Amino acid sequence: MLTKKQIRFCLDEMKKMFPNAQCELTHDNPFELVIAVLLSAQCTDNLVNKVTSTLFQKYKTPEDYLAVPLEELQEDIKSIGLYRNKAKNIRKLCSMLIEDYGGVVPQSKTELMKLAGVGRKTANVVASVAFGEPAIAVDTHVERVAKRLGICRWKDSVTEVEETLMQKVPKEEWSDTHHRMIFFGRYHCKARNPNCPECPLLELCREGQKRMKKRKQVNV
């Protein structure tokens, strides 16, 4: 496990690498962000943005999503994985927004998590990006980076990873750290082919050092 000083080094290096890291899901308001994050489960942000570029022109309000048959909404998001289930959740979410929140997306994580299809990660993203509340949303990139670097343990659950990061990262840096770790995992420390040879964190990354040893053995 990394020391406090080593974690600080990691955070500073990620900041140097990705100083402008931010949410890459295209949206103009909290409602669009909720829909976009819901659609992004097990799907790339690029694909979601392609779909929402036309989706958000057609559907502006929760009422709009309920005004069409379920089959039509499914067709509109068909290129996205799990589209049938996601379409059902979008309609349930819209009904709840209208009935329980006056058509307005709630700001608190607790209320957000009551919405259909909104789990802990989605609630953290919306609270952070839309409402400026400090949060660390743990997606596959954040989890992978935290475990590879040794900030968290390999056996930790997603919730444990989130709790550990919240303990070890200053609260005022939670949201920025979340985005930088996503960028670091998405563009540098990739799942299948991490760029270990050019990584500024290699000297303290046990996983990276193991990979480099294997490369040397293969090339011998």
Side-chain angles (χ1 to χ4, degrees):
M1 301 287 284
L2 296 188
T3 64
K4 190 173 182 179
K5 185 177 181 180
Q6 288 172 323
I7 292 172
R8 181 70 264 166
F9 177 77
C10 290
L11 298 179
D12 291 342
E13 287 301 313
M14 288 183 202
K15 182 178 180 179
K16 290 177 186 175
M17 293 175 73
F18 304 106
N20 302 312
Q22 58 186 347
C23 179
E24 292 191 302
L25 290 169
T26 303
H27 65 282
D28 289 329
N29 54 61
F31 177 58
E32 288 186 354
L33 180 60
V34 171
I35 301 298
V37 180
L38 190 154
L39 290 172
S40 72
Q42 299 182 40
C43 181
T44 66
D45 287 0
N46 284 337
L47 179 55
V48 172
N49 287 338
K50 286 180 183 177
V51 171
T52 57
S53 65
T54 54
L55 191 75
F56 290 162
Q57 291 178 19
K58 180 176 179 179
Y59 304 96
K60 302 286 188 183
T61 66
E63 288 83 0
D64 291 341
Y65 285 96
L66 298 173
V68 301
L70 174 62
E71 293 74 19
E72 184 174 339
L73 177 56
Q74 289 178 343
E75 190 64 30
D76 289 335
I77 63 171
K78 197 172 183 179
S79 59
I80 286 180
L82 307 173
Y83 71 93
R84 289 189 179 88
N85 191 50
K86 289 177 181 178
K88 290 177 183 176
N89 278 331
I90 287 173
R91 285 169 63 87
K92 288 179 186 175
L93 180 149
C94 289
S95 292
M96 294 179 71
L97 284 178
I98 294 167
E99 293 170 11
D100 302 332
Y101 301 99
V104 178
V105 175
Q107 294 191 22
S108 78
K109 296 176 192 174
T110 303
E111 294 301 314
L112 284 164
M113 287 176 65
K114 292 179 182 178
L115 299 173
V118 176
R120 191 178 184 90
K121 186 201 83 171
T122 300
N124 277 329
V125 171
V126 175
S128 171
V129 175
F131 302 117
E133 183 178 337
I136 296 180
V138 179
D139 68 352
T140 55
H141 299 298
V142 173
E143 181 179 9
R144 181 174 68 255
V145 168
K147 290 182 176 180
R148 279 182 175 173
L149 286 173
I151 298 174
C152 304
R153 300 170 298 179
W154 279 108
K155 65 178 182 179
D156 284 350
S157 67
V158 172
T159 302
E160 287 172 329
V161 171
E162 180 187 336
E163 290 171 349
T164 299
L165 289 170
M166 288 169 68
Q167 290 170 5
K168 296 185 176 182
V169 176
K171 188 173 183 178
E172 64 273 15
E173 296 180 41
W174 284 359
S175 295
D176 286 338
T177 295
H178 154 241
H179 292 304
R180 287 167 189 156
M181 288 184 78
I182 287 177
F183 272 51
F184 188 79
R186 182 177 288 162
Y187 302 113
H188 181 80
C189 189
K190 299 176 183 178
R192 294 185 180 178
N193 190 27
N195 189 10
C196 298
E198 298 178 17
C199 185
L201 308 182
L202 180 60
E203 64 183 47
L204 48 76
C205 178
R206 285 180 299 177
E207 176 72 14
Q209 289 171 11
K210 287 179 186 176
R211 288 173 179 271
M212 291 302 291
K213 282 182 181 178
K214 286 182 180 178
R215 287 193 188 192
K216 288 179 182 178
Q217 289 170 356
V218 170
N219 294 328
V220 170

